Each structure stands twice: as C-alpha cells, then as structure tokens.
Amino acid sequence: MPDAALGADALELAGPYRLLAELLSAEPDAELLALAATVPALRPHATQAAAARHTHVFVLNVYPFASVFLDPDGALDGERTALTRGVLGALGLRVAPGLAADHVSVLLDALATLLEREAAARSALDRDRARHAQRVVLLKHLLPWMPLFLAAIERADGALYGAAARLAGGLLSDHVGRLPASSHGSVPTWNAAPRGPAEPPRTERGRRDRLGWLTVPARSGIFLSRSDLAGIAGDLDLALRFGGRGFMVESLVQAASQADRTSELTDALARRVTAQRDEVAAWGRRLPQARPLWAPWLELSAATLARLGRSGTAHPVEAASASPGRGHVTGPPSGGA
Amino acid sequence: MSSPDPHERPDAIGDEAAVGAPTGDAPTGARLLAALRGRARRAVTDAGPHYASPEGHRSRFPGPSEIGLDSHPPVESWQDWAEARAHDGTGRGRRYDLVPTLCFNCESACGLLAYVDHDSGAIRKLEGNPLHPGSRGRNCAKGPATHNQITDPDRILYPMKRSGARGEGAWQRVSWDEALDDIAARIRADLRAHQGRHVVYHVGRPGEDGFTSRVLQAWGIDGHNSHTNICSSSARAGYAFWMGIDRPSPDFAEADFILLLSAHLETGHYFNPHAQRIVEAQANGCKVAVFDPRLSNTASRADLWLPSYPGSEAAVLLAVANHLIASGAYDRAFVRRWWNWEAYLRAERPDLDPTFEAFEGVLAELYRDFTFAFAAEESGVPQDRIETLAHLVARAGARFSSYNWRSAGAGNEGGWQVARCLMLLHALTGSIATPGGFWPNTWTKHVAPQPHPAPGPTWWQDLHMPGEYPLAFFEMSFLLPHLLREGRGHIDVYFTRVYNPVWTNPDGFSWLEALTDESKIGCHVALTPTWNESAWFADYVLPMGHSSERHDVQSQETGRHQWIGFRQPVMRAHYERTGRAFRDTRDVNPGEVWEENEFWIELSWRIDPDGSLGIRRYFEAPTRDAPAEDAPPRKMTVDDYYGYLFDHGVPGLPEAAAREGLTPLAYMRRYGAFEVTAEPNARYLEEVPAAQLVDPVTRDGVVYARSGGAGYGPAAEPLPDGRSAVGVDVEGRVLRGWPTPSGKLEFYSPTLSAWGWPEYALPTYIRSHVHKDALAPGEVALLPNFRLPVQIHTRSANSKWLDEIAHTNPLWLHPRRAEALGVRTGDLLRVTTHIGYFVLPAWVTEGIRPDIVACSHHFGRWRLDDEGGGNRTMSSVVGLERSGSTWTLRRRHGVRPFDSSDPDTRRIWWSDVGVHQNIAFEVHPDPVSGQHCWHQAVTVERARPGDRNGDVWVDTQKAHDSYRSWLAKTRPALRHSPDGTRRPRWLPRPLHPSAEAYRLPDDGSPRERVAETDDA
C-alpha cells in the first residue's frame, strides 16, 4: 500500500482499536455493548452475559499487562510499566491517572490516538512523525506479547473476549502491513532473557520457587493461566489447589508425583509449550517483516522443552530445578547482594 | 483452543466486507470513533507530538530510545543530510555534510560525527558515530563538547614565541617556518653531538597508536617520556607480572558478575563504551560490586558497595582468593595447565614433590591468614559483604569480569599488588579470555603495524628510566625536576605535547623551578591547542589541532571485539568531498592550527634536509619498507602514511572497502572506524603450527625451535644455540602460551624475585603509605585522584558546557568529622600536606567514609595574566611569589564574565573554580612500579585568619627531601640486576632500545650512585 493511502484510512483502524480498548479495560456497560454489537465480528457475543466473563478472563486468568509477559520477573507494575509511561509521555501521550501504562487498553487507545493524529496531520512531516510513534507503540510495546496474550484469551473465553482477541489480532496485523516498508528496516527487540536456557531467577530459592519460572513468560516462553493449569489437572485427573500460579504449578507437580504421573504431567506441559510455540510461529509466518520480534519466544520455548526433557536431551520435570552448570566448580549460593 | 493461525478472521472488522464496505450496515472506523467520543473515560489523551528527530524512524540505527533521541542519520544520507531547524518556520531545514572522526578528550577514542553546514562551511555540532564499534553512536558529555573546544575564544591559533624572560608572559607571533627551523637546528645539533640525548618528548594521553613513537625511533632517540606513572603504572605492573600484557580488557556485556575498583559507570578511561556494556549486563541479571570509599554514582548503582579503607583492597581480594581456594571453588584444570606452579615449587619449595597436588597443598597454606575477618578489620567493610563478594565471584566462575586501572592502584604504595591480587581471582576462576570474563587488551585491540619502522635507540635515557627503578612502568616522568636538580642531566629541547606537567603532576612548584631554569631545560616547546600553566613557561607555543583537526589511528579494548578508529581533520575531508583545494591541514583548520602528523614529518625533514642523518628516509614517499632507489625522494603525506597503514595493517579492511568500490583509506575517511573482528582469539590457546616447530626442544615447559620468529609466544630469551621460544608444552600440546618468560601465567614472578623483591614475588598485600598505622597523630588520608563525570583531567577545561556543569573541588568530609571540626558546607578549611598546604571550602556529605577526606582533581586551574594564558571560563587569576624554596600561590580573582567572539562568555555565572591541590603534594614514587602514589597523609583544620579560598603554600626543599626519602626505598639495578642489564628485557616499554642499550655500564655510572651524593 502506498504511503499516501495510510493517512486516509487511519481512522478505519483507530475506531475499532478504541472500541477494543474500552471493551478490555472493564466490564462493559449497555452502551458499549450496543456499540460492540455494530461490529460483525463481535455481534454474536455482545451480550451482558458474555460481558460478565470480564473478571474471569482478565482479573483471574490473563493479566492484560505487558510487564507480566515481558519483564524478567513477570510481575505486575514492573519496570516496563514505568518505562512505557515514560515512552508514551515522550510521544506526547498522557496516560489517565490511576491506569498502568502497560495495560493493553492503554496501548490500544494510544494507537487509536496516534492514528487520529496521523489523520489530522497537515504536513507530510507531521504524518511521518505520527507513524513513527505508531511504530514504536506497535512494534515495541504491543506486538511482542500479543501472540501469547491473545491466544490465552481465546483459550480462556469462547465468547465476547475470544472474539475480541481475534479481532485485535487482525487489526494489529493490518496495522503492521500498512506501516511504510522502510519502517521495517530494523525491528526493535525486547530483552527476553537473551541468552542461555530459561534458568530460574537467581533470587529464588527452594523447589517451589525453582519451578516458578514456568509461570514467567519471559523465562519460559509460554503463558500459563489458572484455567490452563486447571485444564491440565482435569486432563490428568489430578487434584489442583487454588492460589498463585507458581503455587498451583507446585501443587500439580506434587499431585503428579504422588499419583506417579510425573511423566504424564511433563508431557502435558510440553504439549502446552508446543502449542504456544506454534501460535507464535504462525504470527511470524503471517508477518515476516516483524518476525524478529517473536524470535525470543521461540528460543525460550525450545529451551523450556529441553528442560522438560521433551526435546530429547534433558531430564523430566524434577530436573527443572537443576541449576545449569558452566563447567566450573562453583561456590555456595550468594548471600544476597 | 484457538486456531494455529490467529489471523483467519473472516468476520474481522478490518476486512473490506466488515468495515467501510459500502453495502454493509457496519459502522466505519470513523463512525465508531465518533460514537465513542462522548464516553467519559479515555485511557490516553493527546498532548501533542514532539520528537527529537523527525527522521528517526528511517534510521538504520535504532537504540534503546524509542522517541528518536538516539536515532542517527542513515549512512547513505551522510553527504547531504537535511535537518529541520528549530523555530525556523520556513521548513527548509539545514543541510549537512557528516564527517566521522574520533573524540580526543579521554583515551576511549569514541566515534564522533561532525555536522558540517553546507551553506556556511562551519561545524555546527558533533554527535555520535553509529558505525563505531566501541561507542556505537553513544557519547558522554565530552564528545559533543568538542564543539566548545574548536570554537573556544581563548584557543591558540598561531605559533607563538616568547619575547621576554621565560614565564614573563611576553609573546610574539612567529611563522611556522621560523619555529620549525629554529627547533630543527637545535635538535640536529644535539643529534650530531650527543645522539639526541637532550631531546625529550613528554606526552599526556597519546590518543594515537604508534605514529609519534615511530618518529622518535626514526630520530634514534630514547626520548619518550609519558604521563603513565602518574596514571596507570601500578595497574600495568600488576597485570604484566602475571601475563606479560599490562592492560585489562573486560568483557562486561556477557558477564555474570562485575567487580569494579573504579567509578566506571561515570568516569574513567573507556567509561562510555564500558558503561553501556555494564548496563547491558545488568539488564541481563549481572550483579555488580564496587570498591570505593566514596559513594560514587557507580557505587550507588551497584548491587554491592564495598567502601574499603584506601589501600586495603588487596586484603579483601585475597580473602576472596582464600575462600575460593579453601572451598575448592576454583578451576583446577586451568590452574594446573596455566599457572607456573612448577617454577614456584622449584624455586621456593624444593623440599616438596613437584606435583600439582603438592602445589595445591601449599596454595591453601599461602592465603590461609587472609580470612574474611582479617579483610573486614583491615578494610572496614562489614564481613558479610566480603563473604557475599566471595560467593558472587565463585558463582560467576568464568563469567567473572572486573576493572581496575587508576583508583586503588594509583593511590597507594604497593598499589600494583591490587591488580596482581585481582588477577589472582581471574586466574583461579579461569575467567581469562572467556565470554564474560577478563581479556588481556592486546587481543581485543588492533594496532596496525607501522610502515618502514626504524630500529630502536642504541642508548638509554637515564633521566627517564633511572637505575633505581628497573621494574617501573615506565618512565619516571614526574620525578624529572628532581632528577634534573640532582644533576643527572639536562634537556635541550623539551616538547610537552598536549600535556601540562606543572598542573597535572604532584609537586608542580618543583616543575616551575625546572622550567624557569634554562640551564636545565634549554628550549621548551609546548604543543597544545590551548594555553595552560606549563605552556606559559615555554619558549614556543605551537597550536595543535583538536579532535576534529588532526589525523590519528586509535584502537581501544572496549569489549570482546577488535576495531580500529580513524581521527581525521573534518574540514579537510569536507574540502575533499566538495572539491576544494588545500595544501595541508593549516589551510582547513582555524588560524594556523596544524595537525601533529604533518608537523612531525615537516620537522623531521628540516632536521635532516639532505638525508645525511639517516632520518629523512623514514619520512619519504612512497611509504614502503624498501623505497625505490631511483625514485626522487618526496615528502611523505598523511595520505601516503594512512594509505599504507590501511592497505597493509588492518585485516579485512581492504576487502570491505573493495565491496563498496572504495580504497581502504577512502573507506576510513567515509565511515571513521572498522571492526577487525567480532570474535577475537584467546591467543594463549592457539596451537603452534608444525612448520614453526623445527628441531624443537623443551626447557622448563617452554618449547624452543629453530624456525623462530613466530611472533606471539613466550617472552623467554633465545637459547644459546639459536633456538627461540615458540610456545609452551601443555599436556603434550604445543600452544602459544603467554608472553612471559615461562610462557605461563606467573603466579610466582621469578623476575620480581631476581630483581630484589622476593617478598613480593607472589600476589600479596602491601600496606599503603596511608594505612592507619602509617599516619601521624592527627593525620587523615586524603583521596585526591577521583574524577567527576563530565571532566577529564585538564584537557576538557576549554569546554564551556562542561565547565558550567562541574567547576569546583571542595573537600568531601563526613558529618562526624565536620562536627568535630565545627564546620559546615562552604566553610573554609586548610589542608596541610608534608610539603605545604592549600585552602578550600568544605562539602559535608555522608557519601564518604568518616575516616578519610577527598578532593576531586580537574579543578584549581590558574593563570597569571588577566587577559589570557589560560581558559578564562575555568581558571582563576593568581599571583605567584617565591622566596628561596617557598612558594605562595594566591588567587587574585576567580572566573568572571568577559567579552569574546562567544556571547556565552558574558553569561558566566560561576566564579570559584577550585583549588590546585596537586601542587601541594610531595612525590610518592612506588619503589617497584614507579607509580606516583596519589593518596596523601594530611591534617585538616579550619582555615586560619588570613587564609583565602584557593591559597597554596609549598616548600620545594621539603618536596625534594620527600623525594629522597622515597628514593631510599628503591632496590637499584646496579645492586640487584641479576644479569647486568638495566631492566628485564621482557617487560614492556614505550620505545624499544637495542639489546646493547640494556647493558649496565661497567663504570657503575648510571645514576644509582647519586643516591649517595648531595644535591646538585
């Protein structure tokens, strides 16, 4: 698509972006549902009953924050939250007080706002500036985590939010395709545990914490929601205790061990890893110009499979706690620096 | 579950059928927006666009900034780069020619990109060169401030000759011809009569790799005098005794643990390229520990701060070593293969079986007393922090990296053992030449071989390398006034090259006495871009170029790679690109500012106009090792020189240039830097090829062969039968090994042992001259050698932006000490050294240990003349008074606004520019490394009545007495040389005299005898 066409249809993307931003930010009211119902992709699910799933999806299962997916500790309100606020501020976008800047709704609304800015541009220079800003938000802050995030929503909800996730995937893909080709000369990357296997965070201790990395996307390459874990437990007929995801993983491992089903659990986890890896790979095939963005996920998921012993080299789940060696005799663990 | 392809969305709104389709009832995006507009809650509001660079998104060089701040112009646009102009309104913008060069402030050689305005032909600004592999487009404050230096209204633009008494301040402008002829004649006369023994070149930070040393070698003189021993001698000695290579090159980017004995995130050589890699490592989970008695910015960013008492660092490092050894947390295979433990057992423990197991037993004994408790007691650092340090080192293993250059080593007597003990940790963990480890710098730095190099001098300059310091790194340059005072020689032509010995060295009044005594220094030629305290006492002041006004090649160890950078006169490149004519750099630089390369070539021709001295041939073109006999001699040009260097001395460059249809020189002129390799070799592990193993024999593990000439390998002397060392036998394989006599890492230094220092032959802890036990009652250790982030010694003083940020050096003292003295921030203090005192304000801060005080250098610059003779943005006007051996320096007034070509000089708001503390310091030459040990034992009191800020008083007789007392600590070559030489030949030295020059004379003359004589 020639550059000049972008400005003209910028608002065609901006509208649905903003609608999605509102839908994902909180349980929708009747007015918003009515607006959603005007969109064919959402129409069948735009009901109050479907909307009641908001808490289930976004509060209990699929946390809609970049920091959860991209930060090394996978926690809310992480480094990325502050970074994103700074970047948006520098791009001239003010985030409403009380909102985390790395919330998916903020980022989608930011894209909508920048598309409006582009449509309002009076000169080619202003238009280019607006596009540059879109590129930053899109490529650096949103797209890196979208494959895992959107797929997790679809797994957690078959109705309104699943449909919204599919819609978002399409919009983002279109947006990438519409940015001028020169924008793709270099794709910015994010720091996903850039080297070596997905080793546990060094501050973590003990068996339970040593499995915590499985629930940290930037270390494991996958996102496991509570409903994902419940699904695994159900498939294997294992008891599952409810709590934080790290705790739940631990309880699954214990239950599997007691039931002598460790190997089956490992297989089930490996299947999840493989499925999510395939999701990511599909995004790469669809948008080759942005493929480098997702390469870290593929490396991480490969390393995770290796650590699960399901790529033909390493040991089963129990070995996930083994510290990767460096070929040196090492001393006792740090006293904490 | 979702489908494998998330983009199969027949019902998505982005589709033609769904949105904006003329036939559907679906809303368009615009209608949706309008409908949503009325809703109360919006996540984001548009505050309006603002960007650093409108072109940012087109950049090839995306960096961490996402808002265009770090974007760089794409290379294809460098010759015509358009930028919007602020507040211009026309939208036309400014068009630039972008010319790469290198920064010349610190020694990092970071890449700069000069923006030459096509319309005005002026350099408008300097930013980073994104193609530079070391700095990667990022610069510290000093890089862009180069623009201040080239537009400095106080800079020297023409050759000047003194017209009154030396130091009187009367100058006349002379032509380059007159200056060159006069200086050349003096040098020629000395070369003819005395082999040039009275010609000295004294250099600050060189900023170049080999050009000037080649000049001195071509002249046949041992005349190189460097600032090294007020800077890095200690570190060099500590590293070289281990591995024969005197400089560390950390691979920070891939480290798991970094130990800094420095403030390396904020200051110091290479801090910009290094800091960016440290920060990257931190982002990847690397832990950082910092030794510093001050809470530096670096310490504040560390995971572990070790506020050790100055000089106790080695004790802490040895406690870590003891932990590694005692807990078995060391790389046994590495130690067994690469340490010279056999030599140690042979020499020191012949009673034991020569087995590695026996050595390990001894090793555990050697450091047993260096317990964590001892280290805590000695350093004042809490014991648990030292234990944490040990665990971090152990855990990082081969990914342990570190840095140590000036701070701890340069502060303390015995400070060279800091590097030796730090290296012990690397040698234990095997973190040497590994990813994320420690590298010797010669493997990560590319020095192109010189064209047509001259052999070294055949004589030895005792004024630089006196016999008392046979192991020094290198010349004892800061002792020069004392050596002259003792009558050890005189100098006829003394070049100070971008160097300010009066201000920079300790004991500057002794320098003033030497510089004003024409019987000691016949002619002082200051090669400098700017006036300074020393240039004022010169006979000639010759204006040299700044970063953007000179040619040099320079490479530095900035990571695990190798690159070479090219400094070039920016306007010369711009003239070439735009087809304008010029003869030499004087035609393109401001005034008659010249570059050094052309200056030295011209001077060499005038010294030897007919070639009869054998000098001129090294400065003739074509630059070939064997010049064509029948070709008429032509003066070498810089294009000849660098053309040859880049054609022959930089692997891969000719091919890279050819791919772009350029000559190697044109490639470097265009891009400014070239990465020689991104994967340097761990050279000690290279296998010696069979072709070099002709008739080999092995002696004590070193393999000698008749083929010889292998280049890199052990630094062992050849065998009497002519075989030379080519490698070491390591478990049956012949590897290159290390450039030490044993070819191994010398845990035990036979050299130190043989040259009179057996007690220091192993890494050990030497108590500092400011150790608490060494202080007199009431004394406290003063740290005078830390830098502040935006300045670099004296070289950056002509940068108004930097001066505005940092211009004073108050005394740091802890609130407890301040309370005891009854002073608050801003109150005046008198600090008394062993030879005098200085007066300065207090700065009370908790960011320093209570038991020391500290004062940054850079500041306290002064000048004698109201109108000039120094940078008026950064120097006080002072009066000097001498009475016998006592000197008083008193400030007349501080900095004031003034009229100049730069309107900013009317806007100067600061007046206090600090105190010149160095001039009140006695010399402290370390008896082994030769390092000036900067820390001072001082008393601090409230200023006395009549004391004024900036006052200095010194007795140079006391200074000389101090020099004599430190001289008495030495173990001179005449008494201790094991083989009748002046210095171990395997130790590095800037120039390389012939083997004969190394012989001690039979008459016992060099100069150790003067240690017994009275003052001259």
Side-chain angles (χ1 to χ4, degrees), chain B residues 253-271:
Chain B
E254 295 188 61
D256 278 357
F257 175 57
I258 293 170
L259 176 57
L260 300 175
L261 285 85
S262 66
H264 217 54
L265 279 176
E266 68 201 79
T267 66
H269 289 335
Y270 316 154
F271 104 82

Side-chain angles (χ1 to χ4, degrees), chain B residues 288-312:
Chain B
V288 174
V290 173
F291 276 95
D292 200 325
R294 299 173 308 122
L295 182 60
S296 66
N297 295 352
T298 305
S300 74
R301 293 283 300 167
D303 301 282
L304 189 69
W305 176 35
L306 302 147
S308 49
Y309 185 81
S312 66

Side-chain angles (χ1 to χ4, degrees), chain A residues 291-333:
Chain A
R291 187 180 293 149
L293 284 178
W294 303 305
W297 295 124
L298 302 179
E299 289 170 22
L300 287 167
S301 51
T304 297
L305 283 176
R307 297 191 69 198
L308 291 173
R310 290 301 182 267
S311 61
T313 52
H315 311 283
V317 165
E318 288 301 314
S321 62
S323 173
R326 291 209 186 274
H328 275 278
V329 182
T330 54

Side-chain angles (χ1 to χ4, degrees), chain B residues 145-201:
Chain B
T146 299
H147 193 258
N148 293 171
Q149 299 176 316
I150 61 180
T151 58
D152 166 24
D154 282 341
R155 67 178 297 185
I156 303 164
L157 293 173
Y158 303 96
M160 308 292 279
K161 182 181 183 180
R162 85 175 151 93
S163 55
R166 207 182 270 172
E168 188 184 292
W171 299 93
Q172 65 181 88
R173 185 174 151 184
V174 295
S175 70
W176 274 106
D177 280 335
E178 182 183 340
L180 283 163
D181 284 340
D182 185 17
I183 297 164
R186 290 187 84 119
I187 295 173
R188 183 168 57 244
D190 196 61
L191 283 167
R192 286 221 168 106
H194 308 290
Q195 296 177 286
R197 285 170 190 260
H198 307 105
V199 179
V200 170
Y201 167 79

Side-chain angles (χ1 to χ4, degrees), chain B residues 287-599:
Chain B
K287 299 288 184 204
V288 174
V290 173
F291 276 95
D292 200 325
R294 299 173 308 122
L295 182 60
S296 66
N297 295 352
T298 305
S300 74
R301 293 283 300 167
D303 301 282
L304 189 69
W305 176 35
L306 302 147
S308 49
Y309 185 81
S312 66
E313 296 81 2
V316 177
L317 297 171
L318 290 180
V320 174
N322 183 25
H323 169 79
L324 298 177
I325 295 165
S327 61
Y330 63 96
D331 188 333
R332 290 187 71 211
F334 185 86
V335 173
R336 190 180 68 239
R337 287 183 193 132
W338 288 109
W339 289 27
N340 67 338
W341 56 269
E342 291 109 325
Y344 171 70
L345 291 182
R346 272 196 306 274
E348 301 287 326
R349 296 302 299 271
D351 54 309
L352 298 177
D353 286 341
T355 64
F356 182 65
E357 288 67 27
F359 172 71
E360 281 188 299
V362 177
L363 185 62
E365 294 286 323
L366 282 171
Y367 295 105
R368 177 171 288 172
D369 293 341
F370 287 95
T371 59
F372 290 135
F374 171 78
E377 169 69 23
E378 201 68 8
S379 66
V381 176
Q383 182 171 332
D384 62 333
R385 281 196 224 179
I386 301 174
E387 291 177 25
T388 301
L389 170 67
H391 295 149
L392 287 167
V393 172
R395 197 178 57 174
R399 286 185 187 268
F400 162 46
S401 198
S402 71
Y403 202 70
N404 161 61
W405 198 234
R406 280 174 71 250
S407 67
N412 301 287
E413 183 179 1
W416 57 279
Q417 283 281 6
V418 174
R420 200 144 157 71
C421 294
L422 182 59
M423 182 87 190
L424 172 63
L425 301 187
H426 289 293
L428 281 166
T429 50
S431 51
I432 296 180
T434 53
F438 161 99
W439 288 67
N441 80 321
T442 53
W443 304 347
T444 55
K445 163 175 175 143
H446 182 77
V447 179
Q450 293 291 322
H452 193 188
T458 56
W459 52 274
W460 190 273
Q461 177 54 279
D462 288 313
L463 270 179
H464 297 168
M465 306 283 275
E468 290 90 342
Y469 299 92
L471 305 179
F473 283 73
F474 306 102
E475 308 94 345
M476 300 300 298
S477 67
F478 69 101
L479 300 185
L480 185 63
H482 297 287
L483 302 174
L484 290 170
R485 179 170 171 171
E486 289 178 334
R488 298 195 189 202
H490 73 276
I491 296 173
D492 191 55
V493 179
Y494 178 59
F495 291 100
T496 49
R497 182 281 205 175
V498 196
Y499 189 55
N500 182 5
V502 171
W503 190 90
T504 303
N505 283 316
D507 191 12
F509 286 119
S510 291
W511 278 88
L512 275 185
E513 290 175 4
L515 285 177
T516 49
D517 183 344
E518 292 183 37
S519 72
K520 294 194 172 73
I521 295 176
C523 177
H524 172 197
V525 183
L527 308 176
T528 174
T530 186
W531 287 104
N532 61 51
E533 289 81 348
S534 305
W536 196 249
F537 293 88
D539 299 283
Y540 283 103
V541 175
L542 303 181
M544 292 291 143
H546 287 298
S547 150
S548 59
E549 298 161 353
R550 49 184 293 131
H551 282 99
D552 298 294
V553 284
Q554 203 175 355
S555 172
Q556 293 298 2
E557 52 278 9
T558 56
R560 190 156 59 86
H561 56 171
Q562 255 187 24
W563 52 265
I564 188 162
F566 187 38
R567 191 175 290 117
Q568 63 177 332
V570 166
M571 293 310 295
R572 184 190 191 279
H574 179 66
Y575 272 40
E576 270 187 351
R577 291 178 184 184
T578 52
R580 293 168 67 183
F582 57 90
R583 286 163 302 167
D584 57 38
T585 45
R586 286 174 293 184
D587 286 350
V588 301
N589 281 340
E592 291 182 8
V593 169
W594 212 356
E595 69 162 347
E596 284 171 34
N597 289 175
E598 287 171 347
F599 165 78

